[in-house]
Amino acid sequence: MARKKSRKTLIKNLDSEFSKYIRQRGSVDDIAECFTCGKKDHWKNLDAGHFMSRKNYSTRWDETNVQPQCKACNVFKYGEQYKFGVNLDIHFGTGTADDLFIKSKHMKKFSDSDLIDLIEHYKQLNS
């Protein structure tokens, strides 16, 4: 019988599957575009950049809150949060950045079964 995976492992697995999905979606011939600067690169060379921090579980796996970003924007320029927010409003409608900010402040708890369901959901989307 398989040992139950720890919560930490489930979160790590979900982060991995979700990141892969975010970076691949919208790519053409495996080339994706940085959401903040427009640089084009292979999706494997991009990050899954978060507008509102990953520490906020209510938006950590929100598909609008997370977009492909080049390493320069996501790491060296600290996520380019202002540009990220402006682009969210352009692509998804005015007020999207504000809505995500508000959503990020709400407490969201995920059970282990919720995490497992999300892992399976993104595994299916990635296959």
Side-chain angles (χ1 to χ4, degrees), residues 28-80:
V28 177
D29 295 327
D30 289 334
I31 302 299
E33 186 175 327
C34 175
F35 190 69
T36 47
C37 75
K39 176 184 174 185
K40 294 182 181 188
D41 203 347
H42 194 282
W43 68 266
K44 289 182 178 179
N45 296 329
L46 298 175
D47 291 342
H50 292 70
F51 173 61
M52 297 310 302
S53 173
R54 289 170 30 130
K55 72 179 181 182
N56 304 307
Y57 279 78
S58 55
T59 52
R60 184 174 183 146
W61 300 293
D62 183 299
E63 293 181 17
T64 304
N65 185 58
V66 186
Q67 301 294 330
Q69 279 191 304
C70 67
K71 296 204 184 308
C73 287
N74 192 39
V75 178
F76 302 113
K77 296 180 183 174
Y78 307 101
E80 289 280 28

Side-chain angles (χ1 to χ4, degrees), residues 49-123:
H50 292 70
F51 173 61
M52 297 310 302
S53 173
R54 289 170 30 130
K55 72 179 181 182
N56 304 307
Y57 279 78
S58 55
T59 52
R60 184 174 183 146
W61 300 293
D62 183 299
E63 293 181 17
T64 304
N65 185 58
V66 186
Q67 301 294 330
Q69 279 191 304
C70 67
K71 296 204 184 308
C73 287
N74 192 39
V75 178
F76 302 113
K77 296 180 183 174
Y78 307 101
E80 289 280 28
Q81 193 175 33
Y82 178 77
K83 285 183 185 178
F84 203 126
V86 168
N87 287 343
L88 284 171
D89 286 348
I90 290 169
H91 291 284
F92 299 104
T94 303
T96 302
D98 288 338
D99 291 344
L100 285 169
F101 174 77
I102 292 165
K103 183 178 179 182
S104 74
K105 301 305 174 196
H106 290 102
M107 182 70 80
K108 173 82 176 174
K109 294 191 180 214
F110 290 88
S111 68
D112 287 359
S113 67
D114 291 335
L115 297 173
I116 291 166
D117 289 345
L118 284 169
I119 291 166
E120 290 307 312
H121 172 73
Y122 287 107
K123 274 186 179 178

